[in-house]
Amino acid sequence: MSPACLHDGCICQPLPAMKRGDRVVVRHLHGEAGDCQRLREMGFHEMAEVQLVCGGGTVIAQVQGARICLSHRMAESILVASA
């Protein structure tokens, strides 16, 4: 993985860059405050474990036992690292 963010020197990627079946941990959310708040309400908070179910134009991810469908734009706001 190549670095996609500069927060605290971490190496993370946007969720859609992951492969189907990958298990990752949310490191950061970026974007508009309202979008980040909504993602947190859906379970995509920092340190949450996520599995990518399906990628593409629409992203399906499993978080906290629920499958959530996100637009590609919203999924790009979720920066993750390997679990």
Side-chain angles (χ1 to χ4, degrees), residues 14-16 28-42 44 56-59 68-80:
L15 182 59
H28 309 284
L29 299 177
H30 71 93
E32 296 180 25
D35 289 345
C36 292
Q37 179 60 33
R38 181 67 183 127
L39 287 168
R40 285 185 183 96
E41 290 169 356
M42 290 189 283
F44 294 97
T58 302
V59 173
I68 308 288
C69 183
L70 300 167
S71 69
H72 190 80
R73 182 188 68 80
M74 285 292 281
E76 285 280 326
S77 298
I78 304 169
L79 297 178
V80 298

Side-chain angles (χ1 to χ4, degrees), residues 43-58:
F44 294 97
H45 54 81
E46 288 79 355
M47 301 311 295
E49 292 185 21
V50 177
Q51 181 177 14
L52 186 64
V53 176
C54 180
T58 302

Side-chain angles (χ1 to χ4, degrees), residues 15 19-24 44 49-54 60-63 66-67:
L15 182 59
K19 296 178 189 167
R20 182 179 178 185
D22 282 354
R23 292 181 186 274
V24 294
F44 294 97
E49 292 185 21
V50 177
Q51 181 177 14
L52 186 64
V53 176
C54 180
I60 300 173
Q62 186 161 336
V63 61
R67 287 188 177 191

